[in-house]
Amino acid sequence: MVSWKKSWNETRPHRAREASNINQNRNPQRAREFLEICFDVFCQHGLENTSLKMLSEACGVSNAALVYYFGTKDAIVIEATAHCMAKVEDDFMAHAPKSVPDIERFLREMPYLTARMHGAKYRFMYQVYASPKFREHGIEFFKGVNQRYRKYAEMLSGKLGMPVDYIQGMTYTLVRACVHYALFEDEEYLNLQLNAIRVSLRAYLGAQGGTKIQ
């Protein structure tokens, strides 16, 4: 998140001005708590239906306190979405397979776990980043996603004995399938995507003479 925010501030002058409204002396832990509470409120009520008053009441502080911490409601939207969706990624990877035989467990488990735990978060994220108002912030966020997924793939490469690029590509395919299912509960699409991953894995492992998956 630090590297993402640095890029956001340094590469976009108008964003740097917007970020300058944020209190740089705020308590970091308290700020994170506010962001996570606000994100839950946004997910429950939607972008347009959530007022600053609703956010401050949920946080147990005054409107002025949130303005002191973040500057504007839009700044809360931007920070809360980026912070909380990065946490969702970490939660996803906390369930990552520990070995090749464990991959099938991961494939079967994650779509339903993601939908149950994070469906509302994904719906709100797309509401934010699909809006012209926040589109550029979405572009910056997903640059960070690419970097984080690369690190995840590097960590998994040693456990699975697969190239980093291959793991990263398969992770994107699985995440896309999980997000689509979380949004629309489309079993047909999900199964097609999961089976495509399985076919690819079998072909790769077969070529390497490695462990087979179900």
Side-chain angles (χ1 to χ4, degrees):
M1 294 304 299
V2 173
S3 61
W4 172 80
K5 181 174 284 189
K6 181 178 180 182
S7 173
W8 171 53
N9 290 342
E10 291 182 353
T11 62
R12 298 289 190 275
H14 68 283
R15 289 182 187 173
R17 288 194 298 271
E18 185 175 344
S20 68
N21 293 325
I22 297 171
N23 189 331
Q24 301 301 319
N25 296 318
R26 64 189 183 180
N27 182 304
Q29 181 176 348
R30 191 70 167 143
R32 287 192 295 270
E33 292 172 356
F34 287 156
L35 291 174
E36 289 164 17
I37 293 170
C38 289
F39 191 69
D40 286 342
V41 176
F42 280 126
C43 289
Q44 181 178 355
H45 298 284
L47 182 59
E48 300 302 329
N49 294 327
T50 301
S51 66
L52 185 62
K53 181 179 178 182
M54 293 166 64
L55 297 176
S56 62
E57 287 179 350
C59 292
V61 297
S62 65
N63 286 5
L66 285 187
V67 171
Y68 172 83
Y69 263 75
F70 303 107
T72 64
K73 177 186 167 183
D74 284 352
I76 298 173
V77 171
I78 294 163
E79 281 208 75
T81 303
H83 170 74
C84 292
M85 293 312 298
K87 284 190 64 178
V88 169
E89 294 170 18
D90 290 340
D91 180 70
F92 186 92
M93 292 311 301
H95 294 83
K98 297 176 175 59
S99 63
V100 171
D102 193 38
I103 292 176
E104 181 60 27
R105 184 273 310 166
F106 187 56
L107 296 179
R108 290 179 178 176
E109 174 182 282
M110 289 314 299
Y112 303 101
L113 187 64
T114 298
R116 185 171 69 252
M117 295 179 62
H118 304 306
K121 298 172 186 176
Y122 280 115
R123 285 190 289 274
F124 180 70
M125 181 191 75
Y126 280 104
Q127 184 184 9
V128 171
Y129 291 147
S131 168
K133 186 176 186 179
F134 299 110
R135 183 175 181 273
E136 289 189 27
H137 298 287
I139 291 172
E140 292 300 319
F141 174 75
F142 282 103
K143 287 179 182 178
V145 170
N146 293 337
Q147 296 169 2
R148 291 190 293 274
Y149 277 29
R150 184 73 180 182
K151 291 180 179 178
Y152 295 144
E154 289 170 352
M155 289 188 293
L156 286 172
S157 181
K159 295 179 180 180
L160 303 181
M162 298 177 184
V164 172
D165 287 348
Y166 181 76
I167 294 174
Q168 187 175 2
M170 289 295 98
T171 300
Y172 277 121
T173 302
L174 177 59
V175 169
R176 184 167 61 246
C178 290
V179 172
H180 186 90
Y181 183 78
L183 294 173
F184 306 112
E185 297 184 358
D186 186 343
E187 291 277 354
E188 182 177 2
Y189 179 91
L190 174 63
N191 288 328
L192 285 170
Q193 293 295 305
L194 294 182
N195 287 335
I197 293 172
R198 291 183 179 108
V199 169
S200 175
L201 286 168
R202 289 185 189 119
Y204 174 81
L205 293 170
Q208 302 299 314
T211 305
K212 294 182 179 179
I213 65 170
Q214 297 179 8

